[in-house]
Amino acid sequence: MPFDPTVCGEVPSSHNTFLTALLCVGTFLSYLPQHLKILNRRSSDGISPYFILLGTIGAGSNITNIVLLQFIALQCCTVQTLGVCVASLLGIVQVCIQGGMFYITFVLYMAFFPEQSKYVAAEETEETDGEARPLLGRMQRATLEWQTALWVTAAVATHAVVCILMSALLVMAVGPYAGPTRTWASLLGLFSLCLTCMQFFPQIVKTWRAGAVGALSIPMMLMQTPGGFLFAYSIAIRPGVNWSSWISTFVAATLQGVLLAICLVFDAREKRALSVDDRSAGDSQPSPAADA
C-alpha cells in the first residue's frame, strides 16, 4: 500500500510530547549510574549473564516492534514541519534510548568481565601405565560463566541480524502496513514481553545467592522502577501503538522493583556489618592512657 499523506493529521498532544521528552532524558540519565559503577569498579561482577542476554534481546525486539508499528511516523516527517515531526518520533526515540543504553550495559559487562572469573588453571597430564602424570607447564580452560558470556554475545549478535534482515525484507516485499509486517511486529512485542518476564529472575537468583549487590546500581533502579511505569504509560497513549509495545515495560518495572527491594536489604545489611567491624576495630586499639 502506497504512503497516504492524509493519514498524518493526528499529532501527539503537548502533554504527551512533554511527558515523552522528559522520559527520554530520564531514561538516559537513569542508566548512567550503572555504567559509571561498572567503569569505576572496573568489574561487572555480580551481574547475571542471563539477565544481560534476556534484557538485550528484549530491547532489540522492542526497538524493532516500535519502529515497524510507527513506521507511518517516519514517512509523515516528509510532509510535516520539523516540530511536528520531532513530536511524532519521540515514541520511537524513547524506546531506542532505553534499548541503546541497555546495549551499552551489555558492552560494558563484556568489556569488564572479571579476569579472575574467565579462566581456571588446568594441569596438563599424560597417561603412563594407567597413571596420570603432570607435564611441564600449565593450561587454562575457560570457566562456565565466561563460556556463557561468550555464548550470550553470539546470541545477541544473531538476534540483531535476524531482526534487521527480516524486518527489511517484509517492508520491501509487502510494505510496512501489510498484515505480515504488522504480525511480525506484534510477535516481536510478545517475544519482548516473554523475555522481560524472565529477565529479572536470573538476576534475582544470582543476587540472592551471592547475598551482595555487586556491580548492580541501586540509584539506577531507584530511578527506573517508578520511571518504568511512566514509560509504559507514555507509550500506551501514543497513536498507532497497541498493548504489545508497552506491556513489556510495565512488567519490567514491576520485577525491577522486586530486585530493588532485595538489593536495598543486602546493601543495608552490608553497611551494618561494616559499621560493626569499624567499632570492633576501634575498641580493640589500646588507648594512649593505657599505654602510659
Side-chain angles (χ1 to χ4, degrees):
M1 184 178 67
F3 169 61
D4 183 8
T6 60
V7 301
C8 299
E10 189 174 4
V11 180
S13 65
S14 57
H15 168 73
N16 187 23
T17 299
F18 174 77
L19 177 61
T20 306
L22 188 64
L23 284 173
C24 285
V25 176
T27 300
F28 175 80
L29 294 177
S30 70
Y31 276 95
L32 292 182
Q34 180 63 77
H35 297 165
L36 292 175
K37 185 169 184 178
I38 296 176
L39 289 170
N40 290 334
R41 287 168 54 97
R42 311 292 296 179
S43 172
S44 58
D45 182 43
I47 298 179
S48 168
Y50 297 106
F51 169 73
I52 293 294
L53 170 68
L54 299 176
T56 308
I57 290 181
S61 299
N62 219 19
I63 290 174
T64 310
N65 167 274
I66 196 73
V67 169
L68 290 176
L69 289 181
Q70 288 205 306
F71 199 86
I72 185 66
L74 296 171
Q75 292 187 317
C76 283
C77 278
T78 60
V79 296
Q80 291 174 331
T81 62
L82 179 61
V84 174
C85 172
V86 171
S88 300
L89 292 180
L90 279 179
I92 298 176
V93 172
Q94 180 182 4
V95 175
C96 288
I97 288 176
Q98 184 187 42
M101 295 300 279
F102 203 97
Y103 268 95
I104 293 175
T105 304
F106 156 68
V107 172
L108 291 175
Y109 168 79
M110 292 301 300
F112 293 99
F113 193 92
E115 290 294 331
Q116 69 274 13
S117 300
K118 287 184 178 181
Y119 300 99
V120 292
E123 196 172 67
E124 190 176 0
T125 62
E126 64 175 353
E127 292 289 335
T128 303
D129 299 330
E131 296 181 359
R133 296 183 179 178
L135 296 175
L136 293 177
R138 302 177 70 84
M139 295 179 61
Q140 286 187 324
R141 60 180 176 83
T143 63
L144 178 61
E145 190 172 5
W146 178 233
Q147 292 177 12
T148 302
L150 294 176
W151 175 79
V152 165
T153 302
V156 168
T158 301
H159 173 266
V161 171
V162 169
C163 281
I164 293 173
L165 291 181
M166 186 68 178
S167 300
L169 287 173
L170 284 172
V171 170
M172 291 186 294
V174 299
Y177 314 117
T181 306
R182 306 289 286 187
T183 300
W184 167 245
S186 294
L187 287 175
L188 285 174
L190 289 173
F191 183 53
S192 176
L193 167 62
C194 294
L195 294 182
T196 301
C197 290
M198 298 183 294
Q199 171 188 354
F200 286 93
F201 288 112
Q203 187 60 62
I204 289 172
V205 171
K206 185 176 181 67
T207 302
W208 182 267
R209 288 178 176 175
V213 178
L216 289 175
S217 171
I218 290 179
M220 177 195 72
M221 290 185 282
L222 285 172
M223 289 187 282
Q224 286 188 355
T225 300
F229 294 108
L230 284 175
F231 197 171
Y233 170 74
S234 70
I235 295 174
I237 62 177
R238 298 195 71 82
V241 174
N242 60 33
W243 63 272
S244 68
S245 294
W246 60 263
I247 190 65
S248 61
T249 306
F250 178 85
V251 173
T254 303
L255 295 178
Q256 191 172 43
V258 175
L259 180 60
L260 171 61
I262 294 174
C263 288
L264 287 173
V265 171
F266 287 159
D267 185 63
R269 187 177 65 182
E270 183 178 351
K271 288 180 178 178
R272 285 197 302 268
L274 289 175
S275 177
V276 171
D277 291 342
D278 290 341
R279 286 198 300 268
S280 299
D283 293 340
S284 64
Q285 292 180 356
S287 62
D291 293 341

